[in-house]
Amino acid sequence: MSARYQFTGSTAVAISASIESGIRTDALPPGTALPPVRALATELGVSPATVARAYQELRQRGLLATAGRHGTRVRPRPPVAARRSALRPPPLPGSRDLSRGEPDPRLLPPLGPHLAALAADLGAPVDYSHAGVLPELAEAARARLAADGVPAGDLTLTGGALDGIERLLGAHLRPGDAVAVEDPGWANLLDLVAALGLRPIGVPVDDEGPLVAGVASALAAGARALVVTSRAQNPTGAAVSAARAEALRTLLADRPDLLLIEDDHAAELARVPLHPLAGATRSWAFLRSVSKPFGPDLRLAVLVGDETTVARVAGRTRVGAGWVSTVLQRLVLALWRDPAVAELVRRAGESYEQRREGLLAALAEHGLTAHGSSGINVWLPVADETSVVTALRDGGWAVAPGALYRIAAPSAVRITVSSLTSADLPALAAALADATRPTPPPGFAV
């Protein structure tokens, strides 16, 4: 907690406004611990119930998170704009940043030639009455999904995978409803669930995806929606196997009322087969983003699902944002149609696979078991995240603490492999081994 920040207020509304102001001005940056309820109540001269209501209101809005004995903290990505947009502290000068979870920009397809061709053949401006999903893009998207076994009748577009998930949850659920999410899982999704006022129920994950017993427990606890990452799961790299998909389908067949959301964010970058759950429940949606393989700035995801679910998302988009830019749609279509781009994406996926598997092998040589069956991240279980992250930082490596991705899962750190080379792997593996098994201090001489 920042010692400089002065909390104010004599009512729950005023106290919550004071805390929000501190978050907005970055006086209370992400991760800041807030005072215990009774301590702040004494400081402000109000009842503990008043402070508890203020904290509860901010938790419901997704600004705060409570983690048992760790107390109440500002969420890593609170849904309020701060004066300084860089919420993640930068790595030390000269260190290698393996914490970002982003693709290697050197392996992304160049957009310039396609943008130039698009500019030369842009045609008349699109008006409001003719905007929407381009038929040729929809046709191409359906063909690409069908090749992976995804039924793609009803289709719409969203501004990326997380935008699609937000629209799906907003169309089916109400604040207070429970959502089953992977644990560990995508930090942005956990923050979104909190911002929507929904209640997350963690589902344990292994290398083959969500555990069937964990999904069953979440359903028994009242989950109304389930979000599953098809492959390249963030942060563990899990990919739903054929056997796990079959078992989950059997389980979900008895829950037609459940909203099933699948996120295939890695798409063409994934080097493992897709085993979709699409259609296992009456209400379902499958999302495939273009950001990872083609570039993070291309904010477009294809969303397919049952007629009602797609209609709800498309209708809500129409009365809000309206549509995904047809200029962006045409650019994505051009990228899809270019064999040279397809080859670049294939080679990028192969490169990530080599880096990921190389790091796993290097860690195994030190007796460390990590996870990463697909994607660009490796998940390494550790006993103490703080000490490991600190030791690595002092050694010139920045990794992400697992607390950003966990609900109840054991401690770990996430290492993004996208910027690594084969020459980096021995030194990184040795640094991780030293950080996870620090040398004890010498005893006193006698």
Side-chain angles (χ1 to χ4, degrees), residues 37 50 52 60 77 86 103 120 140 161 181 183 191 204 221 224 228 240 243 282 290 302 318 363 381 419:
V37 168
T50 299
Q60 290 174 341
R77 283 168 50 98
V181 295
D183 182 20
D191 289 335
R224 295 194 55 204
V228 175
V240 177
R282 183 173 58 239
V290 305
V302 175
R318 187 167 54 248
L363 290 171
S419 65

Side-chain angles (χ1 to χ4, degrees), residues 2 5 12 40 46 48 82 103 108 114 175 220 252 256 263 379 385 392 399 440:
S2 172
Y5 189 72
L40 185 56
V46 299
L108 295 173
H114 293 284
L252 298 178
D263 176 15
W379 183 251
E385 291 176 12
L392 288 168
V399 301

Side-chain angles (χ1 to χ4, degrees), residues 83-96:
R83 286 181 181 173
R84 294 192 292 273
S85 59
L87 301 180
R88 187 176 56 86
L92 294 177
S95 65
R96 294 291 301 279

Side-chain angles (χ1 to χ4, degrees), residues 161-162 165 180-187 189 203-211 215 226-241 244-245 248 260-267 270 272-277 285-287 292 373-375 377:
L162 199 63
I165 294 173
V181 295
E182 296 157 338
D183 182 20
W186 189 18
L189 175 60
V203 174
V205 177
D206 66 10
D207 290 337
E208 298 184 58
L211 298 182
V215 175
L226 168 66
V227 185
V228 175
T229 308
S230 304
R231 45 194 177 173
Q233 195 258 10
N234 187 359
T236 71
V240 177
S241 66
R244 185 63 52 81
L248 288 173
L260 170 64
I261 303 174
E262 287 182 273
D263 176 15
D264 187 33
H265 69 100
V272 295
L274 178 70
H275 301 290
L277 304 174
F286 183 97
L287 282 154
K292 283 293 191 302
S373 57
S374 60
N377 297 305

Side-chain angles (χ1 to χ4, degrees), residues 78 112 126 170 308 406:
V126 173
T308 299
R406 299 187 291 107

Side-chain angles (χ1 to χ4, degrees), residues 384-398:
D384 186 337
E385 291 176 12
T386 301
S387 63
V388 171
V389 170
T390 301
L392 288 168
R393 181 199 61 195
D394 293 343
W397 303 95

Side-chain angles (χ1 to χ4, degrees), residues 102-109 269 292 348 351-352 355 376 416-421:
E102 297 180 358
D104 186 344
R106 298 169 298 180
L107 299 182
L108 295 173
L269 273 184
K292 283 293 191 302
S351 176
Y352 293 140
R355 303 178 203 192
I376 62 174
T416 300
V417 304
S418 55
S419 65
L420 293 173
T421 66

